[in-house]
Structures are given as C-alpha cells and as structure tokens.
C-alpha cells in the first residue's frame, strides 16, 4: 500500500477517542494483568499490529482474555498459573513484546522460545540476556545475541537472584524486562539508568501492590535514574481497572502536521503527558511552536491532558542529553519539523535511533534527501538545514514511524509525496490516514 499526501487545506478540529491508546501502557496493561489475580478491565486499549502479538502470546501461556472494541478483559490467575507454551511465540515486529515477555517468562519460571519478524531478529537482545543471566535465568540465544531466544524453566522451588545493575543505555524495555524478572526473585533488585526512560512499568506495578522506589542520584556531575523493586510476599498482584490515555507518540504526527501546514489549529484531548514522554513538546516549544497544554490531571497514576497546536514559524534548535530519551520515538517526525524550520537543527546523543524498527538515522537521511532536504548524518544523530522540502517517491523501510513522518512531510512539501510500503502504519496507528483526512488533510491510499 502507498500513502500519497500533498499540501492542501489547513488541519482544523478537535480529536479525542480517535487517537489510539498508548502503545507502551497497552503492552504493559495486557501483560501485567496476566500476572495479577483476578479480572482486569482495560479501556481504550491500543488494538494494533504491535499489540496483537502480546495478546496472542498470553493465549499461549494459558491466559484467557477478550477484546470488545477497544476494551480488553484479562483473567489473571497469578504468576504461578502460567503454562509452558507448546510453540515458539511470534512477537511479530514488536521489540516491546519480546523484551517484556522475556522478563515475564524468567520471572514466572516457565520455558518458552521468543521469535519475531526478520526486522525484529536484527535488533539486539544481549542487552536483556546478559543481566537476566546474572539473575540466574538460563537462556539460549542465536549467535550475535539476537532472537530467537529460549528461556528455560528453573528447577522446582529455585528462585532468581535479585540484581544490582547499571544499564549501559537508557531503555524502558530493558528496565521493564528486568523489573518483571525481579518479581520472581527473592529480595530487592536495584537498577541504575543513564537517562529518564519511560516509567509506566514502575507506576503500574506500584498500583498493583509491588514496592517500587524511583529516585535520582548525582554522580560525577551526571544524573543517574534509580529504580528499586521488592516483590510482595506472597506474590499477589491486584488486577487493573483503567482507561488508557491517548498515545503521545501517535499524537506527535498530528502535532507536527498542524505546526507545518499554514492556518492549522488542532486540539488533541486526553493525551498521556507523563514527563518521560513529553520531550517532543519541549523540543518543539524551543523551536517557537505555538503549543499549549490544558486540563492536566492525574488518570490512573499518569499525567493526562489536552494539547492545542497552532501552525507556527519554526526555528532550528539543538537536541541532546536526557531530552533524547524523553522523545526517543519521535525523531522521525521531529526531523520533518526541522526540515521546514528556519536555520539548522542538530541532534546528538541519539545513536539508539540506529537500533529501532529501522536505522532511523540512516533511513531518515536517505529518504529526506529524496525530498530535497539538506541532512547530514552523524554517528549519534543528524543535522538538518531547514527550508527546502520537495515532493517525491520515498520508502517506509517497514518502519511505521518513518512511513507516517514522510506522509506528514507531504502535507507541507512543494509537490506530492508517495510513501511506498506504508501498510506498516497499522502497527501503531491504524486510523492514521483516515484521521488526517477527517481533519482536512489531502492524504490518500493506493494499492
Ligand atoms: C518502549 C520503549 C522504547 C520505545 C519503544 C517502546 C516501551 O524503547 O522506543 O517504542 O514501551 O518500553 P527502548 O526502551 O528500547 O528505548
């Protein structure tokens, strides 16, 4: 499927339930509910290409769940009720599914093989395998430390060891994997991260009755982000009853679209504004974007609110350090904002982008050059000189966020942009094109 977008009308309107529920919280809600004892009800669950493998995996472990529209019900019977699946688990293209499940499987003490798409098999798994092994988990990997990987059941009554560990990179997937494994250990696990990665796991496990402490420490003039988890004894987790906020990483495409299409004004309601997820808003405000937040309130332990965006004349900026972690999924669409801004935008400290659904530094550079954008690649980021955005035929490389970002570029480009192999948009935002159309954008699909 191709997506074809071109500059036309301003984007005008107000969006609430049409934005998908948050992807990170959806994955966690489904999985953590399967550890709880009792029935969990999760409203505004993200029903998409990346959350389906998580749900299917739960079935393989003997967990019952049902989905009615966007309401997910999970019948948890505690960690000890998890069964060994009879087939390898296919995590599709979802690294969150694979990495979080790896920790859950180690914590539950079952045997399972985790595998996924060709794209997922190229992503590094040694970052979870090494610390899980330190906890005593027995894991077979494929040479190169990649999937498929098999985690093996432990001898009767044998628990994992609690872990004290410095994460080499800030990663919520690694942190969450280790915190889930820590539920199956006897004692307190202490993790030390170099950046403020998203903290949904900590918030949600804590709401389920687990003792989780998060704090910051300063060492050699740099901040480290600490998490300590002590499993309850006996290991009983309360079920979840929550309505999920809209995904800020999906909202990001509409925010940038409204900023770069002259005359646009959009309000996005009920979006997750957890401070570990709002780096893009800070970066855009530093570029003089007209963005205002209102109606901020706590919902289910996370900050939620409305975002109003008016089209703006953007200025170039610099991004590095902990801001990178707080906007890690938003760089593809941020690059589009940079491409229309006045002056240059410089991104550093972002080499993790090379390990996402595609090498997002190399692929952004390749595709944006096709659209006439002046972009220079660095080992850990890029520099874009804004002001020149033409049309052309570009490729998604199977990366949902790259596909949607390039389609957003077409809304402000001098001539139409065709994004090839754009079916991957359904991995995290199935209604992307339809919603933009409804707001007035010219975006069509072609098979
Ligand atoms: C996620 C964490 C991030 C992010 C991914 C979702 C999560 O990955 O890129 O889309 O839900 O924990 P890393 O933690 O590996 O940076």
């Amino acid at each position: 499927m191709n997506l074809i977008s071109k500059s036309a009308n301003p984007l005008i309107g107000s969006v609430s339930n049409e934005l998908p529920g948050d992807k990170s919280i959806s994955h966690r809600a489904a999985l953590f509910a399967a550890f709880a004892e009792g029935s969990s009800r999760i409203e505004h669950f993200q029903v998409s290409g990346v959350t389906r493998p998580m749900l299917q995996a739960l079935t393989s472990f003997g967990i019952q769940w049902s989905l009615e529209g966007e309401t997910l019900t999970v019948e948890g019977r505690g960690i000890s009720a998890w069964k060994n699946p009879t087939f390898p688990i296919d995590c599709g293209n979802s690294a969150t599914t694979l990495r979080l499940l790896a920790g859950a499987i180690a914590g539950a003490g079952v045997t399972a093989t985790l595998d996924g798409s060709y794209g997922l098999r190229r992503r590094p798994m040694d970052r979870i395998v090494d610390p899980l092994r330190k906890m005593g988990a027995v894991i077979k990997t494929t040479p190169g430390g990649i999937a498929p990987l098999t985690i093996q059941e432990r001898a009767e009554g044998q628990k994992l060891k609690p872990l004290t560990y410095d994460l080499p990179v800030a990663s919520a997937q690694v942190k969450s994997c280790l915190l889930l494994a820590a539920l199956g250990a006897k004692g307190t696990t202490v993790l030390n991260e170099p950046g403020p990665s998203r903290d949904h796991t900590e918030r949600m496990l804590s709401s389920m009755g687990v003792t989780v402490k998060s704090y910051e420490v300063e060492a050699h003039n740099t901040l480290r982000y600490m998490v300590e988890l002590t499993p309850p004894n006996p290991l009983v987790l309360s079920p979840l009853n929550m309505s999920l906020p809209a995904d800020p990483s999906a909202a990001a495409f509409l925010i940038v679209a409204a900023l770069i299409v002259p005359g646009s004004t959009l309000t996005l309601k009920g979006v997750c504004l957890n401070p570990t997820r709002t780096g893009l808003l800070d970066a855009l405000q530093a570029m003089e974007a007209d963005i205002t937040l209102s109606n901020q309130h706590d919902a289910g332990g996370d900050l939620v609110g409305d975002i109003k965006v008016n089209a703006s004349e953007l200025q170039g900026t610099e991004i590095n350090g902990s801001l990178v972690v707080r906007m890690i999924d938003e760089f593809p669409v941020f690059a589009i904002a940079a491409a229309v801004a006045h002056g240059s935008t410089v991104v550093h400290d972002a080499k993790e982008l090379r390990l996402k659904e595609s090498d997002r530094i190399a692929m952004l550079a390749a595709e944006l050059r096709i659209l006439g954008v002046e972009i220079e690649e660095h080992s850990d980021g890029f520099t874009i000189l804004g002001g020149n955005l033409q049309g052309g035929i570009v490729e998604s490389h199977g990366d949902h966020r790259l596909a949607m970002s390039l389609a957003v570029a077409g809304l402000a480009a001098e001539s139409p942009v065709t994004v090839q192999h754009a079916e991957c948009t359904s991995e995290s935002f199935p209604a992307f094109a339809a919603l933009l159309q409804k707001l007035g954008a010219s975006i069509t699909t072609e098979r």
Side-chain angles (χ1 to χ4, degrees):
M1 187 261 270
N2 295 339
L3 269 181
I4 304 159
S5 56
K6 61 179 186 207
S7 89
N9 308 317
L11 306 183
I12 309 241
S14 172
V15 178
S16 47
N17 284 341
E18 298 103 315
L19 278 171
D22 187 69
K23 169 169 94 69
S24 292
I25 306 180
S26 293
H27 273 124
R28 287 161 174 76
L31 178 57
F32 300 177
F35 266 8
E37 288 197 8
S39 182
S40 288
R41 181 183 162 86
I42 298 129
E43 288 172 21
H44 200 211
F45 180 80
Q46 180 181 122
V47 184
S48 69
V50 286
T51 58
R52 283 210 176 274
M54 177 63 90
L55 294 178
Q56 277 153 9
L58 295 187
T59 306
S60 313
F61 291 106
I63 317 292
Q64 292 192 345
W65 55 270
S66 65
L67 197 54
E68 253 179 65
E70 293 183 336
T71 301
L72 175 70
T73 308
V74 180
E75 304 303 335
R77 285 185 292 119
I79 297 182
S80 56
W82 278 45
K83 296 201 174 71
N84 289 343
T86 39
F87 294 104
I89 309 279
D90 180 2
C91 300
N93 220 10
S94 171
T96 310
T97 300
L98 199 152
R99 293 193 178 122
L100 267 58
L101 272 177
I105 292 164
V110 290
T111 297
T113 297
L114 296 170
D115 200 359
S117 66
Y118 174 77
L120 188 54
R121 282 185 176 189
R122 71 164 254 292
R123 298 182 67 181
M125 293 302 154
D126 42 359
R127 53 180 60 193
I128 54 167
V129 170
D130 294 348
L132 284 175
R133 282 184 178 145
K134 287 190 204 297
M135 298 177 85
V138 179
I139 306 178
K140 274 202 302 211
T141 55
T142 306
I146 52 170
L149 44 99
T150 301
I151 299 157
Q152 258 148 15
E153 199 172 347
R154 295 184 299 280
E156 181 81 37
Q158 205 187 326
K159 287 212 151 219
L160 290 178
K161 298 187 282 266
L163 180 70
T164 297
Y165 186 64
D166 290 358
L167 277 72
V169 289
S171 163
Q173 291 180 354
V174 175
K175 174 176 64 177
S176 302
C177 166
L178 300 178
L179 292 177
L180 287 167
L183 289 175
K186 199 169 167 218
T188 301
T189 286
V190 184
L191 305 179
N192 177 332
E193 246 193 322
S197 73
R198 64 196 68 190
D199 62 358
H200 306 299
T201 296
E202 295 90 306
R203 287 169 189 262
M204 292 170 73
L205 288 180
S206 156
S207 81
M208 297 173 83
V210 181
T211 306
V212 186
K213 251 183 20 194
S214 302
Y215 54 94
E216 292 167 12
V217 291
E218 207 183 314
H220 313 295
N221 281 336
T222 49
L223 271 186
R224 301 287 302 194
Y225 299 81
M226 311 290 298
V227 189
E228 294 184 13
L229 180 144
T230 311
N233 188 10
L235 188 51
V236 177
L237 270 58
S238 330
L240 293 165
N241 188 352
M242 60 196 301
S243 177
L244 304 197
D247 192 331
S249 301
F253 301 106
L254 303 189
I255 293 170
V256 171
L259 285 173
I260 66 175
V261 177
S264 297
T265 176
L266 271 191
T267 303
L268 308 173
K269 295 196 166 160
V271 183
C272 177
L273 295 177
N274 175 317
T276 60
R277 302 288 300 281
T278 49
L280 176 75
L281 299 180
D282 293 350
L284 292 172
Q285 278 168 334
M287 296 173 87
E288 298 184 13
D290 181 355
I291 296 178
T292 43
L293 305 181
S294 63
N295 189 23
Q296 295 186 52
H297 59 281
D298 181 282
D302 244 323
L303 188 63
V304 174
D306 302 344
I307 305 174
K308 181 158 190 229
V309 191
N310 291 319
S312 308
E313 289 278 322
L314 299 174
Q315 311 298 324
T317 188
E318 282 184 22
I319 308 284
N320 50 46
S322 64
L323 181 55
V324 170
V325 182
R326 295 176 49 241
M327 56 182 286
I328 193 67
D329 287 340
E330 281 67 75
F331 281 96
V333 79
F334 172 73
I336 308 306
V340 299
H342 298 285
S344 53
T345 293
V346 186
V347 175
H348 280 298
D349 301 332
K351 67 172 186 290
E352 273 295 296
L353 294 179
R354 296 198 180 273
L355 301 170
K356 295 294 178 187
E357 284 83 333
S358 67
D359 174 340
R360 285 187 175 153
I361 296 176
M363 295 308 122
L364 263 176
E367 301 309 312
L368 288 184
R369 275 191 198 119
I370 295 173
L371 301 182
V373 177
E374 264 188 64
I375 174 166
E376 189 194 331
E377 208 182 301
H378 313 303
S379 60
D380 68 343
F382 51 84
T383 296
I384 288 178
L385 180 61
N388 193 13
L389 183 60
Q390 294 155 22
I393 300 176
V394 287
E395 172 56 48
S396 75
H397 299 277
D399 180 340
H400 54 136
R401 300 204 196 279
L402 188 59
M404 291 186 271
S405 304
L406 293 167
V408 166
L411 304 177
E414 282 169 26
S415 55
V417 169
T418 299
V419 186
Q420 294 181 319
H421 301 110
E423 55 282 351
C424 53
T425 54
S426 66
E427 296 215 329
S428 64
F429 196 171
F432 168 73
L435 183 52
L436 272 175
Q437 264 168 16
K438 192 176 143 196
L439 295 169
S442 173
I443 178 163
T444 50
T445 54
E446 177 190 78
R447 285 182 199 274

